[in-house]
Amino acid sequence: MADENPAPERIADCLAVVEAGLGRDRVLDIRVQGGGLFNYLLRVETRSGTYFFKQYLDGIENPLYSPPRIPAIERAELAERVQRLAATAGPAGAVPEIVAFDRQRRAFLMTAAPGERPLNDALARGELPAAFLTGLPRVLAGLHQTTYGRFAPDSLLANTEFRDFKLGLQYDDIAARLTPAEAERVLRCRREYQRRTDCVTHGDINSRNIIASDTALGVIDFEQSHLGTPAYDLAYILCEVLISQEAAGADSVAAIGEFLDRYFADFTAAHRDSVEIEVTQHLAVQTLYRFWGPSRAAWTGYVDEPSGARVIARARELLLADGPVTALLGR
């Protein structure tokens, strides 16, 4: 059994959850898997295939963020519940299946995500894998459609403490760098969003949480899910499409339009224009955050200065505009 130095107690927990989910399937290899900011992740090779063990821990420190101290068990239960919802609502196989959940250990075992590499690798090269443009709109539309109006604003799925922490980073902190008129738009957008609990969102649908190739797509990491609106998730990933395509000199408008066409083919719980009008403001803010936020190097480190200045200017124009995002972008 190889390691990469997994902690012995984590291996013991992992083996217990594997046995609960897979019976006596022989474990061939366990090693630490990078990428978890607020949890512990192990890659598990067994006779029947590859699985991932994910355990939520208390007291995790991060050099970039100081998130609210939400108990690990609450984060684990939220992520497990939303991941199951997303797996059943979207295209088969796009969201890893949870094969065992252990509440006592605050952990679950899941299948491997399809796809080849994190999407951010492709975006940095100006590429949009075919499976991303066809599969992700269906994943998000399925989650939003099937949860629309279903959950009370005081349920576990509301996750307002973490939602408001993120809004502080992405909206309040960005507003401080803008003109008074721009800042008021950002803060109004944030206030209006905090009043909305329309559907379950992924909450962190960035390009590192999407595994993609031309033929396969996987979506992971649901622990930042919360009740909100479709526009938040859509803007969260489409801002990266906008940045990537503009930096590559490609047609960002066509890519965003194609993505939204596919999304609204499956999402019918709200009128397209009303959702797109809301997307406009969130897209502007999220784009600025990718350049100005504390993790900016991860999202826009590949963008040259002239391209970055052009995208930032376009985002600030959108921020002061009213209307559906595809119309304003000039589709």
Side-chain angles (χ1 to χ4, degrees):
M1 192 180 295
D3 53 25
E4 302 235 23
N5 302 316
E9 65 271 24
R10 303 300 167 221
I11 287 195
D13 285 344
C14 177
L15 290 173
V17 178
V18 169
E19 184 169 352
L22 302 176
R24 297 190 178 276
D25 190 8
R26 182 181 169 205
V27 174
L28 303 175
D29 183 60
I30 297 177
R31 66 182 64 237
V32 173
Q33 179 75 23
L37 290 181
F38 309 114
N39 48 64
Y40 194 88
L41 194 62
L42 294 174
R43 182 186 182 99
V44 184
E45 301 290 350
T46 77
R47 288 182 301 179
S48 61
T50 301
Y51 296 85
F52 287 88
F53 168 82
K54 193 168 194 177
Q55 185 169 45
Y56 293 81
L57 305 174
D58 290 310
I60 297 294
E61 300 295 334
N62 184 276
L64 292 178
Y65 307 102
S66 297
R69 299 287 183 172
I70 301 170
I73 182 56
E74 292 183 16
R75 292 185 282 118
E77 289 181 330
L78 171 71
E80 183 259 351
R81 188 171 182 188
V82 177
Q83 187 162 327
R84 290 190 190 275
L85 284 170
T88 57
V95 176
E97 176 191 358
I98 294 176
V99 298
F101 176 62
D102 188 316
R103 190 180 189 281
Q104 180 181 350
R105 293 179 172 86
R106 309 172 309 282
F108 53 76
L109 185 73
M110 59 184 167
T111 58
E116 294 176 0
R117 299 180 63 83
L119 178 67
N120 61 319
D121 292 352
L123 293 183
R125 299 190 299 269
E127 299 171 1
L128 294 175
F132 162 71
L133 286 173
T134 58
L136 186 64
R138 294 183 61 202
V139 172
L140 293 180
L143 178 63
H144 299 160
Q145 179 81 14
T146 59
T147 63
Y148 205 87
R150 278 185 56 191
F151 297 100
D154 59 351
S155 70
L156 170 71
L157 299 181
N159 197 19
T160 55
E161 191 174 2
F162 202 91
R163 178 204 67 186
D164 291 347
F165 162 73
K166 292 197 71 174
L167 292 177
L169 283 176
Q170 297 172 341
Y171 291 70
D172 294 38
D173 289 359
I174 294 306
R177 302 186 56 159
L178 297 170
T179 68
E182 291 169 333
E184 173 51 32
R185 285 277 185 153
V186 172
L187 297 178
R188 186 177 70 187
C189 180
R190 187 258 296 158
R191 290 193 300 268
E192 291 177 354
Y193 186 68
Q194 286 176 302
R195 291 195 288 267
R196 303 280 295 282
T197 56
D198 298 1
C199 64
V200 175
T201 66
H202 180 286
D204 192 29
I205 191 69
N206 67 67
S207 59
R208 288 189 171 184
N209 289 334
I210 301 163
I211 315 298
S213 68
D214 281 338
T215 58
L217 175 93
V219 179
I220 59 174
D221 290 353
F222 291 84
E223 54 260 40
Q224 295 182 26
S225 295
H226 60 264
L227 293 181
T229 70
Y232 185 83
D233 273 347
L234 293 172
Y236 212 100
I237 187 58
L238 289 179
C239 74
E240 292 200 60
V241 173
L242 175 67
I243 294 166
S244 167
Q245 297 300 282
E246 289 289 324
D251 190 347
S252 63
V253 178
I256 290 173
E258 179 181 348
F259 188 101
L260 290 175
D261 286 347
R262 292 181 183 277
Y263 174 85
F264 286 106
D266 290 339
F267 179 79
T268 59
H271 193 274
R272 176 169 181 165
D273 274 359
S274 67
V275 176
E276 279 207 38
I277 288 169
E278 190 181 353
V279 167
T280 297
Q281 298 294 297
H282 285 291
L283 179 67
V285 178
Q286 292 293 341
T287 301
L288 294 173
Y289 176 75
R290 294 305 187 275
F291 284 97
W292 295 344
S295 57
R296 55 190 174 274
W299 313 121
T300 55
Y302 66 90
V303 181
D304 62 59
E305 189 172 340
S307 296
R310 186 172 65 252
V311 176
I312 288 170
R314 194 168 197 185
R316 295 178 81 157
E317 290 174 2
L318 277 180
L319 189 59
L320 297 176
D322 294 302
V325 67
T326 48
L328 292 173
L329 287 174
R331 189 186 187 204

